[in-house]
Amino acid sequence: MGDSEKTCGSGPGGKSTPSARTRILDAAERIFAEQGVDAASLRRITREAEANIAGVHYYFGSKNGLVLEVYRRLIRPVNKKRLSLLDQARASAGEDPIPLPELVKIFFIPPLLICYQEHCARPHLPRLIGRMFSDAPDLIRKMIDEEFSKMKTRFLEELGMSLGRRPKEELIWKLHFMVGILVNTMLATEFPPLSLLDHHPAEKPAQSLRQILAFALAGIQQDPESLDLSMDDFESYRVDEAVFGEAE
Amino acid sequence: MGDSEKTCGSGPGGKSTPSARTRILDAAERIFAEQGVDAASLRRITREAEANIAGVHYYFGSKNGLVLEVYRRLIRPVNKKRLSLLDQARASAGEDPIPLPELVKIFFIPPLLICYQEHCARPHLPRLIGRMFSDAPDLIRKMIDEEFSKMKTRFLEELGMSLGRRPKEELIWKLHFMVGILVNTMLATEFPPLSLLDHHPAEKPAQSLRQILAFALAGIQQDPESLDLSMDDFESYRVDEAVFGEAE
DNA sequence: GAATAAATCAAACGATCGCTTGAAACGATC
DNA sequence: GATCGTTTCAAGCGATCGTTTGATTTATTC
């Protein structure tokens, strides 16, 4: 159980066949990304993993257990990396706040690098991460919240220091917007919203990262109170409810 | 077919019972939001709609047909409103570009007002809209692209004018980030990412809108080239692939 | 009020789902 | 090489899914 991997070694030093447990996780990860968790059947997963369907319940207890493990294996290394980068930055900043650009880079770059690296071993990852936030049942959603809570807290602390005294509510909103940008960008590495683009983001990772970081950094630095908005003419933006009932 | 609604009127002027077709759409919309499209069964939908299960195929041909119609009914009025607001703004701007704040308001406020209005007739809407981008099979995704294409094109045109000569690629990225912010915000009106907030966004719609608009406006105005980023030290942000295989 | 079309219904079809079972194959230990 | 715990296997369980059918009810038209 404590072992990270069991191999049925064919040759020493050469590539070895992963254990059935790992093969199931790999196949599940890929197929969940393709079809969504609900639509993915254990039969297809185990068939493509070249494993028996009973193995799923032997190793993970249930399909939900498998889903939990797939997500955990996906999230943990990324947040571990981000937390370690935060620690580094905090150490080298001493008593000062971490520079905002560095904070933004720590948030965005680790997950995006996984998606953008040239010969990504798991090209389906962005899609799966994007799915995480919407097609997961409540049980999985609770686990995801737990996995992110530490990173969320640490990041809000540092963001508060770097921005100077701003209302906590504002910090939460800004972290929230960053999550939205990140998730949608990962979803779009495979998908139409960016189809207008004449190249895949992964082909120009530096330019893509620049776009994201610049946008987020500007948004974070902006003081919402400075915005001159007439907030009383909402009515003209309201969608007529009567239209809703109609098909045409 | 051309009729928008058929009512089995009980009393003139009073509330009338919607047709079975409409009742199915209403129930499907709500249950799709609750459980996701895949997990929602036609049996539950028709039970709660007080209709017969065969009605789904009579009216919509298949479950996929029902899903398509639910999404269409949801998206159309919003984009119609946004397009009409764009027309208004273009008319009153004459030869000048539309002011950026106005452009951002047109994009965000119509969909968010639906979610934030006090006694929303359909409190599940944000959740459904958020789901749209991830749990939809390819068929539905194609329809969504079609429904949004006109709005997307018009908005990119106006954004290009308002921002002055910027690369088209930059405009696409910025629209893309706005979509991410919007979708995640709608998803979060019911969901954990904002659970740190001590109030529901709908309780303070003006403040919430201010946060969103300010962030997006700043991000849009920012020139990505002005950002001083050292783009060669990616390695320190890379997540160690070796960690991935491990469970603990 | 008979005839025609539209809408609704109960019942069942075949397929697939997550999950369980009990035995066979495997690997380590003495 | 016998023993014991771990892993893999084929087969099947009950449940639920989307869909179809054919008859019945309701509404419309002459």
Side-chain angles (χ1 to χ4, degrees):
Chain A
M1 190 75 107
D3 292 350
S4 63
E5 177 105 356
K6 286 182 185 169
T7 58
C8 320
S10 49
K15 283 198 175 176
S16 50
T17 306
S19 69
R21 185 179 185 277
T22 302
R23 292 202 312 274
I24 292 175
L25 279 173
D26 289 341
E29 184 180 274
R30 176 170 39 83
I31 297 173
F32 285 164
E34 263 183 47
Q35 310 189 329
V37 169
D38 281 320
S41 76
L42 295 184
R43 283 176 172 82
R44 185 185 162 194
I45 290 172
T46 50
R47 190 184 345 121
E48 300 195 13
E50 298 187 81
N52 191 278
I53 188 174
V56 172
H57 300 86
Y58 177 75
Y59 287 115
F60 309 103
S62 66
K63 182 180 182 180
N64 261 342
L66 171 62
V67 179
L68 277 165
E69 195 52 38
V70 166
Y71 278 126
R72 259 199 280 263
R73 195 178 66 146
L74 181 64
I75 300 170
R76 285 220 171 128
V78 179
N79 280 343
K80 199 176 281 185
K81 183 71 189 179
R82 295 205 272 203
L83 281 172
S84 120
L85 286 169
L86 276 178
D87 288 340
Q88 281 181 241
R90 164 100 332 281
S92 70
E95 298 283 322
D96 297 329
I98 299 174
L100 266 181
E102 179 57 27
L103 217 49
V104 175
K105 284 163 87 174
I106 291 175
F107 181 84
F108 281 107
I109 300 188
L112 284 176
L113 265 197
I114 294 180
C115 301
Y116 288 170
Q117 56 188 319
E118 278 184 60
H119 305 96
C120 181
R122 302 192 286 178
H124 55 275
L125 275 191
R127 193 162 176 173
L128 181 60
I129 297 176
R131 276 188 189 280
M132 232 172 41
F133 291 84
S134 59
D135 78 348
D138 291 344
L139 179 82
I140 279 77
R141 187 168 288 273
K142 188 175 295 182
M143 180 276 295
I144 290 174
D145 285 340
E146 287 170 13
E147 291 291 329
F148 280 99
S149 73
K150 196 186 293 181
M151 212 278 298
K152 197 160 58 177
T153 307
R154 265 302 301 279
F155 197 87
L156 282 176
E157 282 173 15
E158 297 294 348
L159 189 62
M161 284 187 61
S162 300
L163 275 180
R165 286 247 161 260
R166 299 272 181 95
K168 188 179 178 191
E169 183 181 318
E170 182 187 324
L171 303 180
I172 293 171
W173 274 112
K174 286 178 169 173
L175 175 57
H176 174 66
F177 298 146
M178 289 171 69
V179 172
I181 290 173
L182 178 61
V183 170
N184 201 42
T185 299
M186 300 187 110
L187 256 177
T189 47
E190 254 191 305
F191 269 144
L194 279 183
S195 61
L196 294 171
L197 229 49
D198 60 356
H199 65 274
H200 191 284
E203 295 172 18
K204 303 182 180 178
Q207 283 95 321
S208 303
L209 281 176
R210 175 178 290 278
Q211 297 282 347
I212 297 173
L213 296 174
F215 189 101
L217 190 56
I220 284 180
Q221 285 173 310
Q222 172 80 291
D223 181 358
E225 298 302 326
S226 75
L227 191 64
D228 176 35
L229 282 178
S230 53
M231 280 303 179
D232 42 315
D233 60 343
F234 285 168
E235 282 311 317
S236 55
Y237 295 91
R238 172 154 285 143
V239 177
D240 187 6
E241 272 287 342
V243 187
F244 262 113
E246 303 184 10
E248 185 105 6
Chain B
M1 192 72 108
D3 291 349
S4 63
E5 178 104 357
K6 286 184 185 168
T7 59
C8 321
S10 48
K15 282 197 175 177
S16 51
T17 306
S19 69
R21 185 178 185 280
T22 302
R23 292 202 311 275
I24 292 176
L25 278 174
D26 289 341
E29 182 180 276
R30 177 169 40 82
I31 297 172
F32 285 164
E34 265 184 46
Q35 310 189 327
V37 168
D38 282 319
S41 76
L42 296 183
R43 283 176 172 80
R44 186 185 162 194
I45 290 172
T46 49
R47 188 181 349 117
E48 300 195 15
E50 299 185 80
N52 190 278
I53 188 174
V56 172
H57 300 86
Y58 178 75
Y59 288 115
F60 309 102
S62 67
K63 183 181 181 180
N64 264 342
L66 171 63
V67 178
L68 278 166
E69 194 52 38
V70 166
Y71 277 123
R72 259 198 280 262
R73 194 179 67 148
L74 181 64
I75 299 170
R76 286 221 171 127
V78 179
N79 280 343
K80 199 176 282 184
K81 182 71 190 179
R82 295 205 271 203
L83 281 172
S84 122
L85 285 170
L86 276 178
D87 288 340
Q88 281 180 242
R90 163 102 330 280
S92 69
E95 298 281 323
D96 298 329
I98 299 174
L100 266 181
E102 179 57 26
L103 217 49
V104 175
K105 285 162 87 174
I106 291 175
F107 181 84
F108 281 107
I109 299 187
L112 283 175
L113 266 196
I114 293 179
C115 301
Y116 287 172
Q117 57 189 321
E118 278 184 59
H119 304 97
C120 181
R122 303 191 288 177
H124 54 275
L125 273 191
R127 193 161 177 172
L128 182 59
I129 297 176
R131 275 189 190 281
M132 231 171 43
F133 290 84
S134 60
D135 76 349
D138 292 343
L139 177 82
I140 279 78
R141 187 166 289 273
K142 188 175 296 182
M143 181 273 299
I144 289 175
D145 285 340
E146 286 170 13
E147 291 291 330
F148 279 99
S149 73
K150 197 186 293 180
M151 212 278 299
K152 197 161 59 176
T153 307
R154 265 302 301 278
F155 197 87
L156 281 176
E157 282 174 16
E158 297 294 348
L159 190 61
M161 282 187 64
S162 301
L163 274 181
R165 286 248 163 258
R166 299 271 183 96
K168 189 181 179 190
E169 182 181 319
E170 182 187 327
L171 303 180
I172 294 172
W173 274 112
K174 285 178 169 173
L175 175 58
H176 174 67
F177 298 146
M178 289 172 69
V179 172
I181 291 174
L182 177 61
V183 170
N184 201 41
T185 299
M186 301 187 110
L187 256 178
T189 48
E190 252 191 307
F191 268 145
L194 278 184
S195 62
L196 295 169
L197 228 50
D198 60 355
H199 66 273
H200 191 284
E203 295 172 18
K204 303 182 179 179
Q207 283 94 322
S208 303
L209 281 177
R210 175 179 291 277
Q211 297 282 346
I212 297 173
L213 296 175
F215 189 101
L217 190 56
I220 284 181
Q221 286 174 307
Q222 172 80 290
D223 182 358
E225 298 302 325
S226 75
L227 191 65
D228 176 35
L229 282 177
S230 53
M231 281 304 180
D232 43 315
D233 60 345
F234 285 168
E235 282 311 316
S236 56
Y237 295 91
R238 173 153 286 142
V239 177
D240 187 6
E241 273 287 342
V243 189
F244 262 113
E246 303 183 11
E248 186 104 5

